């Protein structure tokens, strides 16, 4: 298997830049990257300059005596690494083969930190067929009890050989097939096409047919909904639930069954309260790492002093972040006020306090400590394995890079390796390894997928490193604006076919489609009917609803 320096040698410029970017982000140092790629430091500096020019982003910025990735670099790190690993696989063998066809004894040698393809080969060589048994996803006693009682959900095998996956209430119960404790997974399973992955993911995201389930159960099945702004979850649930009523979401927020809090990728999510308490601790390493974006603004910031002070303030009463910053600035006058606020967001478990506003939250919302709002703090133990299982239930089948992209956690790949014996393993059309829960929904490729409108920031378009199951690579740049807003997309035949926006003037509600490519007449008819229904939900006071295609 080739190392980075071998893949770099003789490569076209784009591939050289990609490999250099991957190593720079991993090392966080020009000198370290140069040594790893066997280049001189000046040559590595020139590579960094070319990368910065191509991306229009500094990529690495000075912080004290070292360098840290920019927010954009952090966001792309997992995808860049995945692309380089795919290149290793592509250029390291001329012919495809199946390890199952090999016979004899094999000795694999590698330096510490062996590439993932080599590790995958070693695992494949020792695979054996294994039996599967049915087991429900359910809360259990002991470490699988409701996290509000201090426990965490887990994965275990019973003496009868039945594996069970704990899911905190009120998340729904699924039935999956898991191998017994002594069984081994079969990594050389079927190849799943992009269309098959599309239908599998839509089924789990409640987008093949609207379902009549309670709001909290739906959010549990979706394993959270990104909620950078308060309105998108309302639209997202309307598109997924039969008979969705906005008052049901308001009620779930008010009775604290659902919470809006910082979670995956250091962004705001709507979560069930038990899920938030169970998995908030798993997020902390990623949230702490996000502090690096502060750079020099973090001068003088001592988390050991700031975090307890912030907890004490928020335990007294909910506060807006303007209030939090002002109060902390009085105690820490020499520390940047924005750095103080960001430290609290990342390092103190908080939930946003709902209001009677139309979309559940005011423009400047108050925040409360999780323990004060929910009566219990997050579980003290990380639950990375359970987190990954829940991710697969909501977004699988998926690769390690997919799980890392969704969560922001490097530990996601390690969790998948630990769980490998209990998972079904597939390959995508490019030979990449995909993991899934045995028995999870994987409908046929020909299952119809209705037209649907997804809101801004919908998790469906953000949950994978390889997003071709939802949107073609050619259209992916259209998903985000220059200020990093994630656009609302519409689906037809299961895939994102364009973006959309609404306008409300003089009692006329207009939904404007901006397709990536010309749409067939059947698509326009279906999208028009769905769009008019959405407008009646979003703008109930409108006297007229119009769905139109933008001409620009």
């Amino acid at each position: 298997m080739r190392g980075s320096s071998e893949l770099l040698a003789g490569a076209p410029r784009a591939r050289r830049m990609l490999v250099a970017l991957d190593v720079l982000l991993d090392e966080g140092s020009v000198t370290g990257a140069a040594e790893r790629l066997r280049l001189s430091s000046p040559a590595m500096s020139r590579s960094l300059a070319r990368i910065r020019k191509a991306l229009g982003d500094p990529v690495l910025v000075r912080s004290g005596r070292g360098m840290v990735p920019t927010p954009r670099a952090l966001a792309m790190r997992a995808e860049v690494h995945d692309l380089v690993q795919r290149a290793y696989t592509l250029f390291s063998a001329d012919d495809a083969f199946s390890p199952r066809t090999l016979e004899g004894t094999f000795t694999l040698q590698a330096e510490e930190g062996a590439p993932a393809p080599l590790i995958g080969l070693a695992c494949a060589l020792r695979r054996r067929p294994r039996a599967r048994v049915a087991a429900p996803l359910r809360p259990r006693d002991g470490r699988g009890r409701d996290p509000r009682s201090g426990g965490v959900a887990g994965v275990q095998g019973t003496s009868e050989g039945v594996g069970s996956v704990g899911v905190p209430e009120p998340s729904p119960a699924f039935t999956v097939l898991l191998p017994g404790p002594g069984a081994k997974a079969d990594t050389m399973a079927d190849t799943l096409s992009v269309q098959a992955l599309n239908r599998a993911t839509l089924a789990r995201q409640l987008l093949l047919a609207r379902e009549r389930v309670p709001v909290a159960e739906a959010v549990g099945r979706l394993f959270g909904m990104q909620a950078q702004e308060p309105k998108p979850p309302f639209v997202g649930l309307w598109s997924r639930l039969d008979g969705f009523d906005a008052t049901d979401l308001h009620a779930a927020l008010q009775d604290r069954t659902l919470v809006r809090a910082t979670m995956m990728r250091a962004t705001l999510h709507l979560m069930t309260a038990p899920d938030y308490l169970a998995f908030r601790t798993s997020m902390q390493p990623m949230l702490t790492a996000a502090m690096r974006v502060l750079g020099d603004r973090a001068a003088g910031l001592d988390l050991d002093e700031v975090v307890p002070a912030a907890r004490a303030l928020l335990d007294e009463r909910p506060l807006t972040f303007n209030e939090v910053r002002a109060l902390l600035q009085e105690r820490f006058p020499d520390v940047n006020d924005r750095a103080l606020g960001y430290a609290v967001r990342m390092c103190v478990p908080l939930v946003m306090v709902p209001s009677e506003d139309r979309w559940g939250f005011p423009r400047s919302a108050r925040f409360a400590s999780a323990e004060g709002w929910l009566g219990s703090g997050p579980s003290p133990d990380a639950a990375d394995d359970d987190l990954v299982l829940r991710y697969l239930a909501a977004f699988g089948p998926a690769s390690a890079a997919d799980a890392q992209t969704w969560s922001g956690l490097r530990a996601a790949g390690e969790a998948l390796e630990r769980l490998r014996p209990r998972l079904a393993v597939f390959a995508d059309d490019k030979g990449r390894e995909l993991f899934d829960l045995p028995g999870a929904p994987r409908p046929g490729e020909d299952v119809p997928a209705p037209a649907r409108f997804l809101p801004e920031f919908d998790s469906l378009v953000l949950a994978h490193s390889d997003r071709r199951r939802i949107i073609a690579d050619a259209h992916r740049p259209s998903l985000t604006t220059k200020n990093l807003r994630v656009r609302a997309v519409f689906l037809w035949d299961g895939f994102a076919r364009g973006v959309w926006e609404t306008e409300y003037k003089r009692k006329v509600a207009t939904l404007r489609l901006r397709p990536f490519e010309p749409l067939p007449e059947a698509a326009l008819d279906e999208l028009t009917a769905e769009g008019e229904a959405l407008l009646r939900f979003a703008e109930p006071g409108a006297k007229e609803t119009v769905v139109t295609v933008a001409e620009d």
Side-chain angles (χ1 to χ4, degrees), residues 76-162:
M76 69 172 66
R77 179 161 56 187
E79 184 172 2
V80 168
H81 184 69
D82 183 50
L83 287 170
V84 172
Q85 292 301 314
R86 285 156 52 189
Y88 289 154
T89 303
L90 179 63
F91 290 103
S92 61
D94 295 327
D95 299 313
F97 73 97
S98 170
R100 282 187 171 185
T101 64
L102 301 179
E103 297 179 359
T105 301
F106 299 87
T107 301
L108 302 178
Q109 295 181 328
E111 297 178 353
E112 183 178 0
L118 185 57
I119 296 171
L121 174 60
C123 294
L125 287 170
R126 60 182 176 81
R127 287 290 169 260
R128 295 291 185 274
R130 79 336 188 182
R132 297 175 179 177
V133 292
L137 296 181
R138 61 183 184 276
R140 299 187 314 277
D141 294 335
R143 289 185 63 81
R145 63 184 182 271
D146 188 318
R148 285 173 289 191
S149 66
V152 293
V155 182
Q156 67 182 32
T158 69
S159 59
E160 291 80 15
V162 177

Side-chain angles (χ1 to χ4, degrees), residues 210 238-239 452-453 511 526-540 545-547:
R210 285 185 169 93
W238 178 87
S239 290
R452 289 290 184 263
F453 287 90
L511 188 154
E526 196 174 346
L527 288 163
T528 297
E530 181 76 1
E532 289 176 347
L534 173 57
L535 288 172
R536 289 192 292 271
F537 164 78
E539 302 294 349
T545 58
V546 178
V547 176

Side-chain angles (χ1 to χ4, degrees), residues 104-444:
T105 301
F106 299 87
T107 301
L108 302 178
Q109 295 181 328
E111 297 178 353
E112 183 178 0
L118 185 57
I119 296 171
L121 174 60
C123 294
L125 287 170
R126 60 182 176 81
R127 287 290 169 260
R128 295 291 185 274
R130 79 336 188 182
R132 297 175 179 177
V133 292
L137 296 181
R138 61 183 184 276
R140 299 187 314 277
D141 294 335
R143 289 185 63 81
R145 63 184 182 271
D146 188 318
R148 285 173 289 191
S149 66
V152 293
V155 182
Q156 67 182 32
T158 69
S159 59
E160 291 80 15
V162 177
S164 59
V165 183
V167 178
E169 295 281 7
S171 298
F174 297 93
T175 297
V176 299
L177 294 173
L178 289 177
K184 297 180 184 293
D186 181 359
T187 57
M188 305 311 295
D190 295 338
T191 296
L192 298 177
S193 67
V194 171
Q195 180 87 0
L197 292 172
N198 172 268
R199 293 311 195 251
T201 307
L202 294 184
R204 302 168 204 207
Q205 286 288 301
L206 311 181
L207 289 168
L208 287 183
R210 285 185 169 93
E211 298 193 25
R212 187 171 287 274
V213 297
V215 164
E217 181 176 323
V219 174
R221 287 174 62 175
L222 299 172
F223 203 21
M225 304 179 74
Q226 187 157 336
Q228 287 298 97
E229 296 177 355
K231 181 179 177 180
F234 285 84
V235 176
L237 288 170
W238 178 87
S239 290
R240 290 170 165 95
L241 299 186
D242 182 18
F244 171 69
D245 191 323
T247 60
D248 294 336
L249 180 48
H250 280 281
L253 290 166
Q254 292 292 339
D255 68 17
R256 310 184 188 193
T257 303
L258 296 177
V259 296
R260 187 177 172 211
T262 300
M263 285 290 284
M264 286 72 76
R265 304 180 301 281
T267 57
L268 287 168
H269 276 71
L270 187 70
M271 305 285 294
T272 68
D275 281 350
Y276 174 72
L277 294 177
F279 299 113
R280 172 59 175 75
T281 299
S282 289
M283 293 290 138
Q284 193 55 58
M286 173 269 299
L287 296 173
T288 301
M291 294 284 294
R292 292 180 296 183
V293 303
L294 292 173
D296 293 340
R297 289 181 296 170
L301 178 66
D302 186 341
L303 292 178
D304 291 337
E305 293 185 359
V306 171
V307 169
R311 286 182 186 272
L313 290 172
L314 289 155
D315 281 341
E316 291 180 7
R317 61 186 175 90
L319 300 167
T320 67
F321 260 89
N322 285 335
E323 294 170 328
V324 170
R325 286 192 294 266
L327 291 169
L328 288 176
Q329 189 84 79
E330 291 178 5
R331 180 164 175 179
F332 305 100
D334 297 329
V335 182
N336 181 283
D337 66 327
R338 294 288 168 177
L340 288 169
Y342 194 70
V344 175
R345 285 185 187 272
M346 296 298 105
C347 300
V348 180
L350 301 175
V351 298
M352 193 176 289
V353 177
S355 67
E356 298 299 328
D357 289 74
R358 183 181 180 193
W359 304 117
F361 297 91
R363 186 174 296 274
S364 180
R366 295 180 300 153
F367 287 78
S369 69
E371 186 168 2
W373 187 252
L374 298 174
S376 175
S379 166
D381 301 317
D384 296 349
D385 290 7
D386 293 328
L387 179 83
V388 168
L389 290 170
R390 292 292 303 283
Y391 166 71
L392 292 177
F395 296 101
S399 68
D402 291 332
Q404 182 175 325
T405 295
W406 168 82
S407 64
L409 295 173
R410 288 195 169 188
E414 298 169 4
L416 280 170
E417 282 304 319
R418 287 192 298 271
L419 293 166
R420 178 186 289 273
R422 294 173 177 247
L423 297 175
V425 185
F426 301 91
D428 70 6
D429 62 328
K430 295 188 176 182
R432 288 171 294 197
E433 196 171 48
L434 303 174
F435 298 89
D436 203 5
L437 301 182
R442 288 186 290 273

